[in-house]
């Protein structure tokens, strides 16, 4: 799916963004966590925002959202 929608540079930026967001986090290797971050990065790229900074920001937003969902109200 990803290779059909994005050029090589965008795919590289997406991978780098995912790695930057997930590294040094206690749950950074957790499949569900990485999937959540990756889905947000993909949504960002689909809107045409494909710069590394934009993609990292989108991934960080997923982290914030995931954290708030895990915390009790």
């Amino acid at each position: 799916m990803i290779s059909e929608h994005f050029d090589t540079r965008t795919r590289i930026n997406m991978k780098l963004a995912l790695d930057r967001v997930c590294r040094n986090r206690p749950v950074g290797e957790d499949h569900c966590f990485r999937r959540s971050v990756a889905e947000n990065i993909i949504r960002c790229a689909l809107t045409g925002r494909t710069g590394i900074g934009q993609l990292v920001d989108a991934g960080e937003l997923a982290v914030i959202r995931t954290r708030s969902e895990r915390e009790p109200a």
Side-chain angles (χ1 to χ4, degrees), residues 12-71:
I12 290 169
N13 283 348
M14 292 167 71
K15 169 96 171 79
L16 287 171
L18 179 64
D19 290 343
R20 284 186 189 177
V21 171
C22 293
R23 78 171 165 227
N24 301 326
R25 297 202 190 261
V27 294
E29 294 300 318
D30 177 70
H31 175 74
C32 291
F33 176 79
R34 289 181 69 87
R35 184 180 66 219
S36 174
V37 172
E39 287 172 352
N40 227 43
I41 289 171
I42 291 168
R43 278 194 294 274
C44 179
L46 285 171
T47 67
R49 298 176 322 172
T50 59
I52 186 68
Q54 295 167 318
L55 297 170
V56 169
D57 288 347
E60 291 292 345
L61 285 173
V63 172
I64 292 167
R65 186 178 334 117
T66 301
R67 188 178 314 143
S68 68
E69 290 171 357
R70 288 183 183 180
E71 293 175 357

